[in-house]
Amino acid sequence: MIKILFVCLGNICRSATAEEVMSTYVRKAGLAEQIEIDSAGISAYHKGELPDKRMRAHAKRRGYELTSLSRPVSIDDFYTFDYIIGMDDNNIAALKDKSPSIETDSKISRMTDYSSRLLVDYVPDPYYGGAEGFENVLDILEDACEGLLQKLKERHYL
């Protein structure tokens, strides 16, 4: 079982959406028995909350149901997950600060490292923006999740 954890600041917009987009792609590829997906936040501020209602509305228009509840990253996550994927440089830095070892550091990567069509450095936080920000996040995540799935198929012979 390959285990992936998506991480953003509060786990109510970007990482929760990445979890659902990737889960959808994995199910459609028939790989749900081989790939496990979760999401978490650097902060515990939104612990137990559903994703942001605006993010849920935009995602729903594309066929995604965002239902995961926010939770903070834990030390156990660094041992449980094979891939820990942050949405921006601040997330990456915070993950490396929390990472308990050099071995677990190597599991950390940036979401846009897997982008194949869009040339972007990070997934921007749409929380304080308008509708276009949520749509942009969905565009980036769909592209990066497609690329990530392709990399997993190549690396793990799926």
Side-chain angles (χ1 to χ4, degrees):
M1 176 75 67
I2 300 163
K3 297 180 180 185
I4 303 166
L5 180 67
F6 294 109
V7 179
C8 69
L9 180 60
N11 190 214
I12 60 166
C13 289
R14 299 171 290 170
S15 58
T17 303
E19 176 185 354
E20 180 56 27
V21 170
M22 190 65 179
S23 293
T24 299
Y25 290 179
V26 164
R27 280 191 307 273
K28 287 181 179 178
L31 297 171
E33 298 295 320
Q34 294 159 291
I35 302 173
E36 180 181 313
I37 302 151
D38 196 2
S39 64
I42 298 299
S43 163
Y45 183 74
H46 295 286
K47 184 178 178 182
E49 293 180 20
L50 282 168
D52 181 277
K53 66 181 179 179
R54 298 164 297 168
M55 191 77 248
R56 290 195 321 259
H58 285 274
K60 187 171 185 115
R61 285 194 277 274
R62 295 194 191 195
Y64 305 112
E65 290 289 332
L66 306 184
T67 59
S68 65
L69 299 179
S70 176
R71 71 172 184 86
V73 172
S74 72
I75 293 300
D76 289 344
D77 289 332
F78 289 94
Y79 298 106
T80 301
F81 291 92
D82 303 300
Y83 295 86
I84 301 172
I85 303 174
M87 299 295 140
D88 62 32
D89 288 342
N90 290 331
N91 303 149
I92 299 297
L95 285 166
K96 289 191 177 200
D97 284 346
K98 289 179 181 282
S99 178
S101 71
I102 292 171
E103 181 181 292
T104 57
D105 279 1
S106 68
K107 298 178 178 189
I108 300 168
S109 62
R110 182 179 295 100
M111 187 78 226
T112 53
D113 291 347
Y114 303 100
S115 295
S116 59
R117 293 185 320 272
L118 301 176
L119 296 174
V120 292
D121 292 331
Y122 63 96
V123 183
D125 190 343
Y127 190 79
Y128 294 106
E132 66 281 348
F134 292 96
E135 289 298 320
N136 184 43
V137 165
L138 281 159
D139 291 341
I140 295 169
L141 292 177
E142 286 177 336
D143 178 39
C145 286
E146 285 177 11
L148 174 57
L149 184 56
Q150 186 57 42
K151 290 276 188 213
L152 293 173
K153 287 178 179 179
E154 292 166 7
R155 285 183 191 160
H156 301 279
Y157 306 104
L158 300 174

